[in-house]
Amino acid sequence: MKIKLINTLFFLIGVAFVTAQDNCSTFYPMNEGVSMEYTNYNKKGKIEGVSNYKVIEANHSGDTTTATMSINLKDNKGKDVYSTSYNLTCKDNMVTLDYESLLPTEMMEQYGDMDIEISGNDIEIPNSLSVGQNLKDANVAMKISMSGINMNMTVDMTNRKVEKKESVTTSAGTYDCFVLYSENRSKMMMVDQVYPSRVWLAEGVGMVKQETYKKNGEVMSSTLLTAHSK
């Protein structure tokens, strides 16, 4: 249960940077109908699954835009792993991601007999990025209680910064990207692990590539944009 929960949250943190362009947001999709397909690979470069994203609702009110993104993940055999949705808000040249809505419905149903408390700070992405720029830390914390037993888990994204610009080519095309680095620390019970990560973002397109590493720098998992529709 611990491993599944940690893997689910880290996967969502990585793919939470799915992006596209509209009048408010440079990087996050805020237009209904925008869809993206991502292929997920393990450390050996073998396909682990495919995730599909789609903006299913968008609302514009004054200087604020909100959107709801649906996610469907299938394994390498095409079997549904989970489906969920999360919320985005764009205001004052900043996009924020609602962390609480990142938790998959199926996972929450699995722990339906437990009391769950969720808290944290949203991920923030400015509409304007530049090399060398530092970004605000983010985190999510969960407290799960059942029959008098408590299980606490936290995931912290720290040392977030824009490292460089780099061109990336996938089956969906070639893109000029900003490379965002972060250190993701998970704590559950007595287990404390750190996974550095990089995300490649292209204006008007979104997340093109994502890699998570071991402490020694070896790639542990990766994700590539394989289809995109506006």
Side-chain angles (χ1 to χ4, degrees):
M1 181 174 67
K2 297 178 186 177
I3 294 175
K4 181 177 180 181
L5 186 57
I6 290 173
N7 287 344
T8 297
L9 284 171
F10 269 113
F11 173 78
L12 288 172
I13 286 172
V15 298
F17 291 101
V18 175
T19 58
Q21 187 175 27
D22 89 324
N23 292 332
C24 178
S25 170
T26 301
F27 295 105
Y28 279 85
M30 297 286 184
N31 295 320
E32 287 187 23
V34 172
S35 63
M36 289 76 65
E37 176 192 87
Y38 290 88
T39 301
N40 311 309
Y41 303 88
N42 63 20
K43 62 182 180 180
K44 296 182 178 179
K46 294 184 178 180
I47 295 175
E48 284 196 328
V50 175
S51 51
N52 288 281
Y53 288 70
K54 187 173 183 179
V55 180
I56 57 177
E57 184 178 358
N59 296 289
H60 308 273
S61 178
D63 62 349
T64 303
T65 299
T66 59
T68 301
M69 175 80 74
S70 68
I71 311 172
N72 175 255
L73 174 64
K74 298 181 183 293
D75 63 19
N76 58 359
K77 296 181 180 179
K79 181 180 179 181
D80 286 331
V81 177
Y82 63 75
S83 297
T84 188
S85 62
Y86 65 85
N87 301 318
L88 304 166
T89 301
C90 181
K91 185 178 181 180
D92 298 331
N93 199 38
M94 182 76 69
V95 174
T96 60
L97 172 69
D98 176 5
Y99 240 125
E100 185 171 348
S101 64
L102 280 176
L103 301 175
T105 301
E106 286 85 349
M107 188 182 75
M108 300 306 290
E109 291 175 350
Q110 178 182 355
Y111 305 124
D113 296 332
M114 306 180 189
D115 293 326
I116 301 178
E117 297 179 14
I118 304 170
S119 61
N121 295 319
D122 295 339
I123 293 178
E124 294 184 350
I125 295 289
N127 281 332
S128 180
L129 296 177
S130 60
V131 175
Q133 182 177 2
N134 292 317
L135 304 176
K136 186 179 178 180
D137 293 345
N139 67 76
V140 62
M142 292 182 64
K143 180 180 179 180
I144 303 173
S145 302
M146 183 178 68
S147 302
I149 300 175
N150 294 327
M151 181 174 68
N152 297 312
M153 187 196 120
T154 61
V155 177
D156 298 303
M157 297 180 67
T158 62
N159 197 22
R160 297 179 64 215
K161 57 187 176 183
V162 184
E163 280 191 327
K164 57 185 176 180
K165 295 195 73 173
E166 187 172 87
S167 179
V168 176
T169 298
T170 75
S171 60
T174 298
Y175 307 96
D176 292 326
C177 302
F178 287 101
V179 182
L180 275 60
Y181 174 85
S182 66
E183 293 174 355
N184 306 316
R185 177 184 295 273
S186 72
K187 296 180 182 179
M188 177 174 276
M189 307 301 283
M190 301 302 293
V191 180
D192 187 348
Q193 296 175 302
V194 178
Y195 301 99
S197 177
R198 287 184 174 87
V199 174
W200 284 254
L201 298 181
E203 284 192 31
V205 177
M207 188 186 84
V208 175
K209 179 180 177 181
Q210 187 266 343
E211 290 183 342
T212 300
Y213 310 94
K214 297 179 181 179
K215 285 186 177 180
N216 62 7
E218 291 183 14
V219 175
M220 187 170 67
S221 64
S222 61
T223 300
L224 288 177
L225 176 69
T226 47
H228 177 259
S229 177
K230 296 182 178 181

